[in-house]
Amino acid sequence: MRETEKKMHILVTGAAGVLGRAVAGYFEGLGHRVTALDMVAPAGRVTGHVVDLSDPRATGDIVAAAVGTHGKIDALVHLVGGFNWIPVSDSSVEDWG
């Protein structure tokens, strides 16, 4: 990463899976700050956090901790299984459970 490029804080969900681990490692390799989340500890060189994203309180706690450590989240890579073809802003907690 060039010194003039902004180093971002990127949150990656599903980080224990093959794709999630690759994405998190790629961004970390570019010098970005990565928060890697999954229901099991992500393997590899990325530091991960175990969280059940269907639990709003646990998710809020881990996101707050990540922001406290790395600053605001600049990008989200959401790789948790399944798709819900509605805008996130129109979804409810139940839609993601």
Side-chain angles (χ1 to χ4, degrees):
M1 169 174 279
R2 288 178 264 156
E3 288 300 314
T4 58
E5 292 180 20
K6 178 183 175 194
K7 293 183 181 174
M8 298 189 301
H9 177 198
I10 301 171
L11 189 142
V12 179
T13 66
V18 173
L19 182 57
R21 193 169 48 247
V23 168
Y26 173 78
F27 284 121
E28 186 175 70
L30 291 176
H32 296 294
R33 299 175 313 276
V34 176
T35 298
L37 306 178
D38 209 313
M39 289 187 71
V40 296
R45 55 193 187 105
V46 173
T47 301
H49 305 277
V50 176
V51 64
D52 178 354
L53 294 175
S54 68
D55 179 341
R57 178 174 285 180
T59 301
D61 290 347
I62 200 75
V63 168
V67 169
T69 300
H70 297 299
K72 73 177 182 73
I73 295 169
D74 298 297
L76 166 66
V77 181
H78 184 57
L79 298 172
V80 173
F83 292 96
N84 195 351
W85 296 103
I86 60 173
V88 172
S89 59
D90 294 340
S91 67
S92 67
V93 171
E94 290 77 24
D95 291 326
W96 296 96

